[in-house]
Amino acid sequence: MQVYINGKIVPSQEAVVSVFDHGFLYGDGIYETMLVYDGVIFKLDEHLQRLYRSASLTGLTIPLDTDLLKIALYDTLLANALKDAYVRLTVSRGHGPIGLDPELCSQPTIVIMAQKSKDYPPTFYEKGIHIIIAETRRNLKEAIDPRIKSLNFLNNILAKIEAIRVNAYEAIMLNARNRLSEGTVSNIFFLKDDILCTPSVACGILDGITRGIAIDLAVREDLGVLEGEFTKEDIYAATEVFITNTSLEVMPVSKVDSTIYPVGKVTKRLHSAYKQEVGSYVARVRAEGPSLWGQER
Ligand code: PDD
């Protein structure tokens, strides 16, 4: 694998970060993961907007502008000869003496990694996955703003460990007020009384880009959508459940704790609408040229 690190693309064994990097020492940094379909990074502008929002909420100045980041992303894809890929862009505070003060670090560390996109087993989409409601609560939104997509993942990892223990794929965390929030790396949706329900941003979640697309598609499909506060009993009483994120897209859920759900019509409809959205986005970006993507740059 070829990795972008601070302006250079090098083989992965040479892509090393200092032990004094504050990303390593304190989890002080931010990231985005994106999916590449047929050479086009899906919703790139939205991901970069969220990256700059995370940077601004943490007082981190990214030394590259949007166009330079786009070029770095596409150069990394080219260096790896990848057209269908998973890309992770990480920006840490950089290296500096030990201490929390961000001013100790003069230059952020920027890393881009790209690998072939994960092939989830088709049975995941056909039969659905098992998830749990974790005992681990979501960090208070008043303590760490969930709009910051940060390198601090211990809260999510503790919930993920609970899922792994019972062989479940994902863990949904409740917030401190006993309301559903989000998964360790995903947002949650469920169908109740024919209304598509999902925790609102006020519940302390990351406003997932896939979540936003799923809501728009549901509205376009004339479904009632409710962003609000829900309990785990609401999800147990649901008729369909699915989770969303950049790489899972719309993933059906067949079991939450011990409640079983079919892979229902609405989930299937939204998954195929999502695929269509990806297809038309890729076609639009390709038609727009000249662009930053692929060999044609
Ligand atoms: N995670 N909530 C959390 C806590 C997340 O980490 C993510 C994404 C999401 C969904 O966001 P989006 O639809 O924009 O991918 C919600 C990515 C996939 C990750 O950690 O790699």
Side-chain angles (χ1 to χ4, degrees):
M1 188 199 290
Q2 300 287 313
V3 177
Y4 173 100
I5 176 159
N6 295 330
K8 292 199 187 105
I9 294 181
V10 297
S12 49
Q13 60 275 19
E14 288 169 33
V16 287
V17 173
S18 164
V19 292
F20 289 94
D21 196 288
H22 283 209
F24 173 69
L25 288 174
Y26 306 115
D28 186 357
I30 55 175
Y31 81 103
E32 281 295 320
T33 53
M34 289 153 271
L35 224 60
V36 186
Y37 298 88
D38 197 17
V40 173
I41 305 176
F42 186 56
K43 302 283 174 182
L44 177 54
D45 287 328
E46 287 80 351
H47 280 283
L48 291 182
Q49 266 165 29
R50 191 167 67 183
L51 182 82
Y52 284 101
R53 181 183 76 185
S54 297
S56 136
L57 291 167
T58 45
L60 203 164
T61 307
I62 301 175
L64 301 182
D65 67 15
T66 318
D67 278 350
L68 288 173
L69 276 184
K70 286 183 181 176
I71 290 170
L73 284 160
Y74 276 109
D75 279 351
T76 310
L77 287 170
L78 270 182
N80 286 285
L82 285 169
K83 291 208 118 189
D84 291 288
Y86 162 98
V87 195
R88 177 177 162 126
L89 166 58
T90 308
V91 185
S92 82
R93 190 75 65 178
H95 67 87
I98 289 174
L100 299 190
D101 183 355
E103 295 285 319
L104 294 168
C105 308
S106 54
Q107 189 72 8
T109 303
I110 304 182
V111 173
I112 302 170
M113 295 183 291
Q115 61 189 37
K116 211 175 143 301
S117 5
K118 240 196 232 169
D119 280 326
Y120 295 102
T123 52
F124 276 27
Y125 292 97
E126 288 155 17
K127 297 202 161 92
I129 54 166
H130 173 200
I131 66 172
I132 59 162
I133 311 281
E135 293 294 324
T136 305
R137 296 301 165 105
R138 188 81 184 102
N139 276 333
L140 276 180
K141 68 175 180 351
E142 294 80 5
I144 298 184
D145 188 337
R147 290 176 305 159
I148 305 169
K149 194 157 168 52
S150 87
L151 302 183
N152 278 267
F153 249 61
L154 203 52
N155 180 214
N156 314 48
I157 290 166
L158 292 175
K160 178 74 178 181
I161 289 170
E162 288 187 54
I164 293 166
R165 272 198 203 119
V166 295
N167 221 356
Y169 190 80
E170 174 63 305
I172 306 300
M173 292 170 278
L174 300 174
N175 65 21
R177 296 190 311 278
N178 268 331
R179 300 294 188 268
L180 295 168
S181 66
E182 63 182 338
T184 64
V185 289
S186 65
N187 294 112
I188 179 98
F189 286 82
F190 57 94
L191 195 72
K192 196 170 166 236
D193 302 325
D194 290 328
I195 304 282
L196 189 64
C197 305
T198 193
S200 64
V201 170
C203 295
I205 61 163
L206 178 76
D207 47 349
I209 288 164
T210 324
R211 172 185 178 277
I213 299 169
I215 292 172
D216 288 348
L217 292 173
V219 170
R220 229 188 282 167
E221 301 259 324
D222 276 339
L223 274 167
V225 179
L226 182 60
E227 294 179 67
E229 292 206 346
F230 304 101
T231 62
K232 59 180 174 181
E233 284 70 32
D234 290 317
I235 211 168
Y236 295 151
T239 47
E240 293 184 33
V241 181
F242 62 85
I243 59 173
T244 60
N245 83 14
T246 293
S247 61
L248 295 168
E249 305 175 333
V250 174
M251 173 63 78
V253 169
S254 56
K255 194 170 160 200
V256 181
D257 296 334
S258 51
T259 308
I260 308 280
Y261 310 83
V263 177
K265 275 192 202 136
V266 168
T267 307
K268 284 185 194 156
R269 238 164 80 199
L270 288 176
H271 191 212
S272 81
Y274 188 84
K275 287 283 191 202
Q276 274 173 31
E277 173 72 19
V278 169
S280 50
Y281 179 93
V282 169
R284 197 165 58 242
V285 172
R286 285 185 165 280
E288 262 165 19
S291 73
L292 298 165
W293 55 270
Q295 279 92 336
E296 294 158 50
R297 177 156 63 76

